[in-house]
Amino acid sequence: MTLTLLTYTLMTDPTPLEASAAGRSPSTGTVYLIVTNTGRQAAFWHSIQVQVPVGNGAGHLTSDFKKIKPKGVYGTRSGSQSPVNVKPQGSDTFQATAQGGGRTRLDPGDHLVLTLENVTVAAAAGVAVLRVTENSSSTQAGQLSNRYAAVPLMKTTPKEIPAPRDFRPDDTMVNAGTNIVLRWEGSDDFNYKILFPGGQATVPQGVRSWSPAAADAPKRATTYTLVATSRTTPKQEHFLTTTVEVRDPVLETLTATTGISTPWVQGTASATGGRVTFTGTGAAISTNSGGPGSVTADKVNVQWVTAYAVTGPAGGDGSIAFRGGGVAITSSAGTTQLGTVFADKAEFNGVRTEWVQGRSHDDGWISFPKEGLNVRRGSGQDWGNVFADKADLNGVNTRWVQGRTAADGWISFPTSGLQVSRGGTDTPTQGNVYAESICARDAPYGQGGGWINLHDEGMTVYLSKNGSNGLGSVTASGFNR
C-alpha cells in the first residue's frame, strides 16, 4: 500500500463523542478531518474520499448517514481560505474536490478542513474508523494514484443526563393571588412535573417554565417542587424546590404554641376589615375606615372594662356611655334620649332619679320634689293612693282622712279645729265620734284636768281624769233640749 502524501488528523465536538442511549435524545456531534501537508515538497491532490462506517454497532459512527451535513475549507500558511467541494458519494462516503476541479497544489504547511456536521452518534460505545482514499501525485504532471489512510475516533458510553438546575420564580415576593412564573434549566431527556400544595401539573415537552392556574395562585408562602424523571432505563430522577413568599398571606387556620407577635390584626374583606391594634396598654379596636370599632360576642368574661360606650349589636339598640359622673343609658346609640334598664333585681346603696313608675304605662308613679314625695295615678298628674298595712310617721299633713271605702266617714281639718263628717258625699255632713271617755285636757286637778266618762246610762263628769276627786260640774251658757 502506497503511503499518503498528506497527513490526516481527526477531532470531534464534543470530545469524545457519546454514544446515543435508548430513551433519551440522540447524541449528536461534529467530526473534523484536518488534512495537512507535513512534507518538504508540494503535493498535488485530485480528490479525497472519506468512508463513514454506518450502523449502530461499536465500530460504527452513525446510524443515519443522510443527516450529516458536510463542508470543506482550504487554508494556506499565509492565512487565506477558500471553499472546498464536499459531496456525498453513495450511501456511506463523502468526496472532497478542489473548487476549480482537477488537481490542486498543497504546499508544505497548507491544510484542508473537512467538516461533518450533525452526526447522530451510533448507540454502541467503541472505536469507529473513517477510511480515507487520497487520489494524488507528487508532481503537477505526475500520474495520479490512490493512497489510503485509516483515521479512528472514540465513542464513549453515555454519561448520566445532567441534572436540571436553577429552579426559581420570577418574583420571590408577591401579593396574595398574584400569578407567578417558575423557570429552570434542564435537558429535554427529562419529563418534568411541578408539585404544589393540593395538586401537581405536568409540563409539556420542551418547555422550561410554568405558571399555576388562577385558582392555584399562592395565597400564603408556598413551596414548589420540580420533579425531573428521565425516560432511560434505569431512570434518573431529580427533585428541586423553590419557595414563593406572600406579603399578606391568607391562612385557613393558624396554631401558635408559644404566641404570636404582631402590631395589628385585620379582616380580609372591606366588610370585615376591622382592625385590632396592640398598644402598650392593651388593644385598640377600629372599623375598616379607621374609626372606633366594636366587639360582638356571645359572652364576655372580664375583670373590668375601660370604654367610652357600650351598645347593643343592632342599629337601634340602646347604649351605655361612661361619663365622669357615672353611667348614662340612652335609648339608642348616638342619641341623648334616656333609656331604660331592665333587671330582675337591683341592689344599690342609693338611687337618684326624677321619678319611679310601675312596669305598665298606666301604673302609678312617684316623683321626688324638694318638699318630699308625690304619689300620682297612671301617666297623668292626678294624685294617687298609698296602700300599707301600717304607717309609722312623725307627722302627717293632709286635707282629710277617710276609711277604706267611699261610704266610710271622714275627717277634715279646718282652721278652727277638727270636722267629723259622714261618708258617701263630698259635702261635709256632721258625723259621730265614738269613745269610751273624753279628756278635756291632760292636766292635774285644779288646773282643768276634769274628764267625761261615757257609759250605757249616759255620761258622768269627774273632777280629775282618774275619778278619785268625785263628781265635777258642767258649765254652759245655754241648753237646748
Side-chain angles (χ1 to χ4, degrees):
M1 178 182 295
T2 304
L3 295 176
T4 58
L5 299 177
L6 305 175
T7 302
Y8 297 87
T9 305
L10 193 144
M11 298 175 60
T12 64
D13 180 23
T15 301
L17 295 178
E18 287 187 7
S20 296
R24 57 188 287 185
S25 302
S27 175
T28 59
T30 302
V31 176
Y32 301 94
L33 184 63
I34 296 90
V35 183
T36 309
N37 183 357
T38 58
R40 296 180 179 181
Q41 298 178 349
F44 298 87
W45 66 281
H46 177 263
S47 66
I48 299 174
Q49 291 184 349
V50 180
Q51 183 182 16
V52 176
V54 177
N56 263 324
H60 300 122
L61 174 61
T62 181
S63 60
D64 196 343
F65 178 77
K66 293 181 180 180
K67 286 188 176 180
I68 299 176
K69 297 178 180 180
K71 63 180 181 180
V73 174
Y74 165 62
T76 65
R77 288 184 62 189
S78 62
S80 63
Q81 292 186 341
S82 59
V84 174
N85 293 327
V86 182
K87 296 181 178 180
Q89 298 288 318
S91 60
D92 63 355
T93 302
F94 294 100
Q95 179 172 286
T97 57
Q99 190 76 0
R103 68 181 71 186
T104 302
R105 180 187 180 97
L106 197 67
D107 290 322
D110 292 350
H111 66 275
L112 303 173
V113 178
L114 306 182
T115 303
L116 305 180
E117 294 181 336
N118 197 36
V119 177
T120 301
V121 184
V127 177
V129 178
L130 276 62
R131 301 186 181 278
V132 177
T133 300
E134 174 191 300
N135 185 251
S136 61
S137 66
S138 57
T139 61
Q140 180 69 43
Q143 185 178 356
L144 293 169
S145 59
N146 289 332
R147 295 173 171 82
Y148 304 97
V151 186
L153 62 83
M154 176 64 70
K155 300 176 297 171
T156 62
T157 301
K159 296 178 182 177
E160 189 175 80
I161 306 170
R165 58 185 178 84
D166 198 18
F167 183 42
R168 79 279 181 188
D170 281 357
D171 299 297
T172 57
M173 178 71 75
V174 298
N175 294 322
T178 301
N179 186 43
I180 63 168
V181 179
L182 305 179
R183 304 182 190 276
W184 64 94
E185 306 296 332
S187 170
D188 282 337
D189 292 330
F190 288 111
N191 293 326
Y192 297 99
K193 65 180 178 181
I194 305 291
L195 305 182
F196 54 91
Q200 63 179 25
T202 301
V203 181
Q205 191 71 30
V207 176
R208 298 293 180 276
S209 64
W210 176 82
S211 295
D216 296 324
K219 297 179 177 61
R220 63 193 66 87
T222 303
T223 298
Y224 297 90
T225 302
L226 174 68
V227 181
T229 306
S230 71
R231 295 180 291 275
T232 60
T233 301
K235 292 184 179 298
Q236 292 177 236
E237 199 165 39
H238 300 276
F239 299 86
L240 285 81
T241 61
T242 191
T243 300
V244 176
E245 300 289 341
V246 176
R247 291 186 181 88
D248 299 312
V250 178
L251 303 176
E252 295 177 0
T253 59
L254 175 63
T255 301
T257 58
T258 57
I260 298 175
S261 297
T262 180
W264 52 265
V265 177
Q266 188 171 17
T268 57
S270 177
T272 59
R275 175 180 291 196
V276 179
T277 303
F278 300 94
T279 65
T281 57
I285 299 173
S286 57
T287 65
N288 54 3
S289 60
S294 60
V295 176
T296 303
D298 179 61
K299 182 179 180 182
V300 178
N301 187 4
V302 295
Q303 292 183 355
W304 52 269
V305 176
T306 300
Y308 294 106
V310 178
T311 184
D317 287 346
S319 66
I320 302 174
F322 301 93
R323 300 175 180 173
V327 176
I329 299 175
T330 56
S331 58
S332 61
T335 68
T336 59
Q337 183 178 358
L338 294 179
T340 305
V341 176
F342 299 92
D344 181 61
K345 181 180 179 182
E347 183 175 340
F348 304 101
N349 291 328
V351 177
R352 289 189 177 184
T353 181
E354 185 177 350
W355 52 268
V356 177
Q357 187 176 20
R359 291 182 181 272
S360 299
H361 181 68
D362 57 353
D363 286 348
W365 57 283
I366 304 171
S367 61
F368 303 93
K370 292 183 178 180
E371 296 77 13
L373 180 72
N374 289 331
V375 178
R376 307 286 186 180
R377 296 179 184 274
S379 60
Q381 295 291 326
D382 294 338
W383 292 110
N385 299 322
V386 176
F387 300 93
D389 180 60
K390 181 180 180 182
D392 187 354
L393 308 170
N394 290 328
V396 176
N397 289 341
T398 181
R399 289 178 57 195
W400 51 267
V401 176
Q402 188 177 23
R404 291 184 180 273
T405 69
D408 291 344
W410 54 286
I411 304 171
S412 59
F413 303 93
T415 305
S416 57
L418 178 71
Q419 175 71 47
V420 177
S421 303
R422 298 178 184 277
T425 177
D426 291 335
T427 302
T429 302
Q430 288 185 353
N432 300 318
V433 176
Y434 298 91
E436 181 182 352
S437 63
I438 299 174
C439 182
R441 178 182 287 179
D442 187 10
Y445 172 72
Q447 298 182 16
W451 63 289
I452 300 171
N453 182 26
L454 304 175
H455 47 80
D456 292 341
E457 293 81 8
M459 66 178 182
T460 303
V461 178
Y462 292 97
L463 291 175
S464 64
K465 62 181 179 181
N466 58 10
S468 61
N469 295 311
L471 297 176
S473 300
V474 176
T475 302
S477 60
F479 170 72
N480 292 326
R481 187 174 179 179

